[in-house]
Amino acid sequence: MRVHFTVNGRPQQADDVWEGESLLYVLRERLGLPGSKNACEQGECGSCTVRLDGVPVCSCLVAAGQAEGREVVTVEGLADHARQRARATGDGSSGTSLDEAKGWQAHGADSRTGEGAELSPVQQAFIDAGAVQCGFCTPGLLVAADEMLERNPSPSDADIREALSGNLCRCTGYEKIMDAVRLAAARQSEGV
Amino acid sequence: MDFLRPASWEEALAAKAEHPTAVPIAGGTDVMVEINFDHRRPEYLMDLTRIGDLYEWEVGQDTVRLGASVPYASIMEHLRTELPGLALASHTVASPQIRNRGGVGGNLGTASPAGDAHPALLAAGAEVEVESVRGSRRIPVDDFYTGVKRNALAPDELIRAVHIDKADGPQQYSKVGTRNAMVIAVCAFGLALHPVTRTVRTGVGSAAPTPVRAEAAEDFLNAALEEGGFWDNGKTITPSVAKQFADLCAAACNPIDDVRGTASYRRHAVGVMARRTLTWTWESYRGARRTTEGAA
Ligand SMILES: Cc1cc2nc3c(=O)[nH]c(=O)nc-3n(C[C@H](O)[C@H](O)[C@H](O)COP(=O)(O)OP(=O)(O)OC[C@H]3O[C@@H](n4cnc5c(N)ncnc54)[C@H](O)[C@@H]3O)c2cc1C
Ligand code: FES
Ligand code: FES
């Protein structure tokens, strides 16, 4: 079947989608957006977290056909999403094209400092706080953390833990992740 | 596989009548796991997420009519006052991502003995509104669970809503697991005080082939509370009464040994949760009595 939906602000279409396929599979294998990670395919790890009509969900548990006509934001579109939010006005040229999204890493970024890359505040905070080790859990955590900061600009530690309780990390021990989200919240409130 | 996308409830009923083997998919948090792991290859997958009614709830005089697909996150946010037991149970389900998608209709569809909505529904009192092209009926939740992962739905029926009695007193939900998030219950216990009818109702999860009420324990406690005039005098429940209640709740279990826990642990834990939830709810009932009646 064919599925039409909005991905990172741009209309997209996926062809030859098997009816039992997940949204995660469509994003990674049909649209070439490997940012959302596939680790468990059973909702346990959160590494496939995307926004579906604004709501964080495990894309591995959304049937592709359920995304028809809906809006999806993946980690590749997070910088643009955050920019839109900051501007709070649409200027018509918003969104992230598939090519931009696929080539996201290649924009002269220094992967250690994030310099030269388009990053959302929460992405920059993860780099600055050292919250990324192997990085497999990072995209899901970024999407979940960014959504929480949108809803709750000054979260308590308990709020952060709760919001990230569906995302597993096997490397960091979570402390640096907590630091990163606190940092992003602090910078957000200072308007940096 | 065919993907059916009914745009309305009537279309969904018609599709289910035409294809009784079609598997409804709401939040997908049970169905997609089975498909991803090749445990299920349904001929038809029927998406219920386009049917707006299923995401609505109505607070009535005595009951809340909860649309089958209202996600746990909305129950926690909007129905904490009317359905405190179910809101607490909802908060223990999995993770924010799962609670944003999954709901009570899917929990009832799966009818796992470990489903967290069940003990809360049993304790509060609820009826499941199901419908097919043949008509609509209401199944008391006590009769809904017919076996391990089996329910009273006919092949052509769908769950439309759940009618849950609004809380008339304190309710609690307690769950045993290895961590706070993302945990399937080792066992769970829901308890609701109903001061209007002067009864206490229970629901036990993951400790028998189906979710069950501990009816002998309820009967004992109701009689003991009546006899001691507890509802009127608002005294602390006698430890021996609480203990007997807890023992009878443990005796209502018919648990198994599995990877999550042993049968004897489950029985023990249900007794502990029964005593604790009774104490918590009773203390809050006493507190409320004191503030509303000004009595010490
Ligand atoms: C990681 C993870 C953790 C989980 N943790 C918990 C937990 O802690 N506690 C818990 O209780 N559950 C848990 N679950 C299970 C699941 O989230 C719940 O059972 C949830 O309530 C299912 O709702 P859903 O809308 O996603 O159902 P779906 O997966 O869409 O459907 C579930 C079943 O119900 C049927 N169905 C759905 N809607 C209807 C309807 N309207 N009429 C008839 N049949 C219908 C479907 O055909 C299917 O058989 C977990 C699942 C995952 C993936
Ligand atoms: S891959 Fe979706 S939650 Fe793990
Ligand atoms: S950084 Fe490796 S899993 Fe989180």
Side-chain angles (χ1 to χ4, degrees):
Chain A
M1 66 179 174
R2 176 173 285 181
V3 180
H4 308 84
F5 60 134
T6 302
V7 184
N8 298 325
R10 302 278 179 95
Q12 304 293 351
Q13 157 183 325
D15 288 315
D16 302 320
V17 173
W18 174 60
E19 286 69 16
E21 208 162 286
S22 68
L23 171 61
L24 175 63
Y25 190 91
V26 171
L27 290 170
R28 291 177 56 87
E29 311 298 336
R30 310 233 179 251
L31 299 183
L33 299 180
S36 312
K37 296 290 176 255
N38 178 0
C40 73
E41 289 195 287
Q42 52 179 314
E44 296 273 352
C45 74
S47 60
C48 65
T49 302
V50 302
R51 307 267 298 260
L52 180 66
D53 282 353
V55 175
V57 303
C58 297
S59 60
C60 69
L61 300 182
V62 176
Q66 293 185 303
E68 175 72 34
R70 311 270 185 205
E71 288 191 19
V72 174
V73 174
T74 70
V75 71
E76 289 97 337
L78 207 59
D80 181 65
H81 181 78
R83 204 165 356 99
Q84 293 296 316
R85 181 170 60 218
R87 246 192 258 148
T89 53
D91 62 1
S93 69
S94 63
T96 308
S97 74
L98 274 191
D99 283 341
E100 281 167 353
K102 286 181 200 164
W104 176 83
Q105 279 178 317
H107 290 307
D110 179 326
S111 64
R112 290 169 52 88
T113 62
E115 215 167 309
E118 264 255 47
L119 296 176
S120 66
V122 74
Q123 287 170 310
Q124 188 63 53
F126 265 60
I127 292 177
D128 295 343
V132 183
Q133 288 190 23
C134 81
F136 207 81
C137 66
T138 311
L141 277 160
L142 290 171
V143 173
D146 180 72
E147 190 270 346
M148 180 202 59
L149 290 171
E150 187 174 302
R151 258 186 303 121
N152 180 359
S154 41
S156 66
D157 280 5
D159 295 337
I160 302 174
R161 284 180 198 283
E162 165 92 25
L164 304 185
S165 62
N167 295 77
L168 296 182
C169 174
R170 307 204 65 178
C171 302
T172 65
Y174 302 101
E175 283 309 322
K176 302 269 177 170
I177 293 171
M178 293 294 294
D179 290 346
V181 181
R182 287 188 206 109
L183 181 62
R187 286 177 177 168
Q188 183 174 282
S189 70
E190 289 161 11
V192 180
Chain B
M1 195 185 291
D2 255 347
F3 197 79
L4 309 173
R5 295 176 190 174
S8 68
W9 179 245
E10 289 67 32
E11 270 183 52
L13 293 182
K16 190 72 172 130
E18 194 181 339
H19 310 290
T21 57
V23 173
I25 175 166
T29 61
D30 280 320
V31 173
M32 285 304 289
V33 174
E34 292 186 317
I35 293 179
N36 289 345
F37 284 78
D38 229 341
H39 294 154
R40 206 166 186 181
R41 273 283 174 277
E43 207 182 333
Y44 297 95
L45 204 53
M46 186 165 89
D47 180 23
L48 298 179
T49 58
R50 305 208 173 247
I51 305 172
D53 309 356
L54 297 182
Y55 290 85
E56 285 169 15
W57 64 89
E58 255 167 72
V59 178
Q61 188 72 28
D62 301 317
T63 59
V64 175
R65 183 180 186 279
L66 182 74
S69 298
V70 174
Y72 293 116
S74 299
I75 299 172
M76 288 160 54
E77 193 180 333
H78 302 289
L79 293 167
R80 190 164 286 277
T81 314
E82 295 83 358
L83 308 175
L86 186 63
L88 286 169
S90 298
H91 202 164
T92 74
V93 174
S95 66
Q97 288 93 324
I98 305 284
R99 295 195 291 268
N100 284 338
R101 292 287 287 169
V104 174
N107 217 228
L108 288 166
T110 299
S112 158
D116 283 303
H118 314 315
L121 295 177
L122 288 165
E127 286 184 346
V128 186
E129 180 186 335
V130 306
E131 198 171 336
S132 71
V133 291
R134 294 173 294 120
S136 167
R137 63 183 176 126
R138 290 225 199 161
I139 307 170
V141 73
D142 294 61
D143 301 332
F144 189 80
Y145 313 107
T146 54
V148 181
K149 299 200 171 185
R150 299 178 71 88
N151 61 37
L153 283 181
D156 62 346
E157 281 178 326
L158 292 173
I159 301 166
R160 182 166 202 176
V162 190
H163 299 257
I164 309 156
D165 293 348
K166 274 163 70 177
D168 60 321
Q171 304 187 344
Q172 271 294 345
Y173 185 75
S174 184
K175 170 172 170 180
V176 174
T178 42
R179 54 187 285 246
N180 268 335
M182 206 59 94
V183 116
I184 306 279
V186 177
C187 53
F189 194 86
L191 185 142
L193 299 187
H194 298 286
V196 173
T197 48
R198 300 195 160 193
T199 53
V200 177
R201 281 174 59 119
T202 59
V204 188
S206 233
T210 66
V212 290
R213 277 171 64 197
E215 291 185 56
E218 293 176 13
D219 292 345
F220 160 77
L221 183 61
N222 292 337
L225 293 179
E226 200 57 60
E227 204 172 301
F230 285 95
W231 292 103
D232 293 317
N233 63 28
K235 284 198 178 139
T236 301
I237 292 181
T238 330
S240 63
V241 169
K243 177 168 190 312
Q244 177 76 4
F245 172 70
D247 290 348
L248 287 167
C249 287
C253 303
N254 180 14
I256 54 167
D257 292 331
D258 69 10
V259 288
R260 281 177 281 138
T262 62
S264 69
Y265 174 73
R266 286 188 158 99
R267 231 180 250 114
H268 171 75
V270 164
V272 172
M273 290 189 291
R275 186 167 41 73
R276 283 187 190 159
T277 53
L278 176 62
T279 310
W280 293 335
T281 50
W282 191 259
E283 285 310 305
S284 113
Y285 169 70
R286 295 175 67 218
R289 270 183 89 260
R290 273 199 297 272
T291 41
T292 56
E293 297 175 16

